[in-house]
Amino acid sequence: MNPEELWNSADALLDGLLDLTPEQRHDALTAMSLSTELRTAVERLLAAHEADGGVLDRSLLASHSATDPGALSGKQLGRWQLEQEIGRGGMAVVYRAHALDGSAQVAALKLLTLGAQANQGIEHFRLEQSVLARMRHPHIATLFESGIADDGTPWLAMALVEGVRIDRWCEQQALSPHAIVELLIDLCDAVGHAHRNLVIHRDIKPSNVLVDQHGHVRLLDFGIARLIDAQGEITATQWRALTPDYAAPEQLTGAPPSTAMDVYALGALLYRLLVGRTPRSGGDGAATAPTAPSRAMHDATAAAVVKGDLDAVLLKALAQDPMQRYESTAALAQDLKAWLQRRPISARTPSRRYRALKFIARHRVGVAATALALAALLAGLSLALWQGEQARASAQLARAEAERATAVKQFVLSLFEATDPEQPGGAVMDNRGMLRRGVERVSGREAMAADLRVEILTTIAAAQRTMAWYEDAELTLKQARTLIESTPALPALIRANALHEQACYERVRGNNESALPLFARAEAVVATEHSEPAQEFRVRMHTQWGIALRELGRSSEAVRQFERAEQVLVGLPNASADLRSTLLMSWGSSAYSAGDYPTALARLRAAYVLERRPENSGNASISLLLNHLSGASAMMGLLDDAVGYDREALAIARQAYPAHHPQVAGALSAYGDMLRQAGRYDEALSALNEARDIRTKIGPAAALAMVEFTRVRVLVAQGHYAPAVTLAESILPALEVGYGRSSTAVLQLLVQEFAALTWHDPQHLFMQRVQLAEQRLDQLDDDMRWHTVAQFLRWRIAQSHLARGDRPSAARWLARAEAAPTGTRSHVTAELVLSGLRLRLANTEANQTQPARTLMLELETALKRAQGASTEALAYAWLSVAETARLLGDKSAEQQAINAVDVLRQQRNLPAEQGAAFRAWQ
């Protein structure tokens, strides 16, 4: 990275950091994955900003009170009286002010800094005044007046916008893509107003667009705007005066200003709000060459959110060539409105099929009314639709398709006749009974084509599996297999789909190892198929295959399956949002299992945006997504958000599914575990007991064992060690069979069992479990060997040895944990407990005063920057500091550490082990 690129990237990162409080900035920077040179550059810029300003960083007025910025409060400029400072940048300082003329107006009053004046800032300031004076628009901050102070300092008084920057507003409100687009349409109108007044903004970015409490956008800061009718540039725009991530390519090269620059910035802003990053964001936070949103990127998150018509809109707005962009913001807004209304957009070449699909989308209620009762049954018959499209080329195929459609119609009608008590043989029956009747009727219709019978049976089996009617699904799949074996000439896609459904059935029954060869067979069957339905099938198959591998703890293999699904998905421009969100959710949950929590959170949030689209309201699958999103949020330190996600997931599951459905049990289990992390142990056990009752009735054994495992965690946290040990012993075999002998589930159970055995070991199980843990850790593959859970297990064994008085064994296990290769990803929770243990071991060594003090100071520093660590890890680390400080006679450090633990205790209940240690200090 050359120097200009380095400082471009650093400046862009600084812009985001300056929107945080001083306390938050360093935590946020620490959490970023940056190269060493880029991190150093950002730290230098941040340090310079936070340092006491020199004379060039202050307004002339402020220069007289540099040590006390509040001294300007009460000063009068024109009819305005200054209140407190509300913002500061390289060009100006902004104060809140109120009018003294009785009008009750409140303003944001901007004072030009002396440094800016020394760099031709007065000309820019006057230009901004001229720009704002031209405009009166509901979405643009209004200029009240301007003037010059007695000491020559220029100032502007603008309407004060009480609001939140647009990116934060969208995140806080969890806005759907439709709601985000509506905000952008308003913003397009505001920018269009500026253009009609011959003004180009040239710095549209999140921090310059606020959303007020009523949800209305306000465009701010025309500080580097350009008058279209001005005679030449006043001064060349330097790279530091704009934001590279939102600047058009020609803007970075110094091209003459044009409205196309603002069109590009609006596209970049929309992209940022939908995807979570800017079009040219690099992996390390650096600004890179712009890329198209979904077709030129291999990022599943971006591709999923902006695929389809919205993708086409963004591609046009972000075109490298200004001539290829929208000719105006009004044209961009027009296409965005068309997207909202499901009308054809100008950014795509019109076709008869495209316009027909848009018509159906606009009239979806009328179209869906006649198909609602058939949706569940016919969801899997996509092959028939594709064959219908191809049949136009052949009269023979057309006749065959007509016969097929008639057969489907007659079959479906026969099902509804069976539920009509006024028809011969009819009787009122529930959904389960109707599907059973469907299987009977398919079996009895030997005149129906075998491929259609297999396809219907497979679809019914999928519905039965979804509803947890497992015995019914097994019988239906058995009939489908019998038909397949007796009809070797069946189409490949139908045979593959049946194998895929069998694999999914095995997976939900906890037989993941049995599912894997079925997925492989399905893949082989469709190896030579290239139709669109076959490609969509591959996406579903590789996604489910990856889930099975993830549940077996084979993370790297799971990721490869998700990557294969994504590769196929990129070539499907009309793929459904459901297909994309399923892949994102599965990939995100796998990243979570692998310990890659930032990736997990990003993908799961993108899936959440897709699932929250208006036309998807009522989709119960969002319940499972919320559970995954909760887990990732908790690992990133967003515990309150996590509890809220799980609470919402449980409410959706209860409303959408029968009371004893697996999804309800799963939602209860996830909610219980999150309540445990929040220290709400009694509530957690209540939820988990309900989940256990459901799983006891419906199985499978591995899923019931997972619920019981979460109960073990709560029992350990409460200090009920004896029942925790008993329960852990009873469920270990089921977890090993269902999830694998070295899976994260088994390793986590061993962590909890060691915690309990430390204080309750009547059967002398401790050393047996140490040997078992050694075997399981030795069996881990390279991806899992240094996973957070594996490191946490090594720490727990070491800590248990130390608590039992065996210092040498504790030191050996700590050494094993510290043998992780350089660059290994490690979660802050594992880092804190390992550092705490290292410090405690140092306390037990003779003549280790200085090393112990050094380690203590390092741990104190890490604790102050820790983000996302569990309560257990934080309390353990602070107690380690307190113990060392007491041995060193450092009363101040000891009290500070105990106070920190006390703050944690007041926020939520401490786990019993740390709670007992804290009480011992009192």
Side-chain angles (χ1 to χ4, degrees), residues 234-310:
I234 290 177
T235 185
T237 301
Q238 301 300 314
W239 64 269
R240 294 173 59 90
L242 48 81
T243 307
D245 278 353
Y246 299 91
E250 69 273 16
Q251 197 171 353
L252 297 173
T253 60
S258 72
T259 57
M261 293 177 176
D262 284 350
V263 170
Y264 183 96
L266 287 166
L269 178 59
L270 177 57
Y271 188 107
R272 163 66 179 82
L273 299 179
L274 291 171
V275 177
R277 61 183 180 81
T278 59
R280 57 162 65 94
S281 294
D284 63 352
T288 60
T291 59
S294 66
R295 296 175 190 165
M297 292 172 50
H298 299 288
D299 186 295
T301 300
V305 174
V306 302
K307 202 69 176 177
D309 278 359
L310 199 52

Side-chain angles (χ1 to χ4, degrees), residues 131 134-136 192-199 227-229:
V131 163
R134 289 170 178 248
M135 291 180 287
R136 288 293 184 271
H193 175 80
H195 291 177
R196 289 190 295 275
N197 282 276
L198 307 180
V199 175
L227 289 176
I228 300 174
D229 60 352

Side-chain angles (χ1 to χ4, degrees), residues 56-84:
L56 293 181
D57 294 318
R58 301 190 296 272
S59 70
L60 294 175
L61 292 168
S63 65
H64 300 297
S65 53
T67 58
D68 183 11
L72 287 180
S73 178
K75 189 168 187 66
Q76 183 175 343
L77 292 174
R79 66 186 179 97
W80 302 97
Q81 186 171 45
L82 301 183
E83 297 177 6
Q84 72 273 19

Side-chain angles (χ1 to χ4, degrees), residues 79-81 97-107 144-145:
R79 66 186 179 97
W80 302 97
Q81 186 171 45
H98 64 270
L100 297 172
D101 57 5
S103 63
Q105 282 185 322
V106 179
F144 290 147
E145 62 181 299

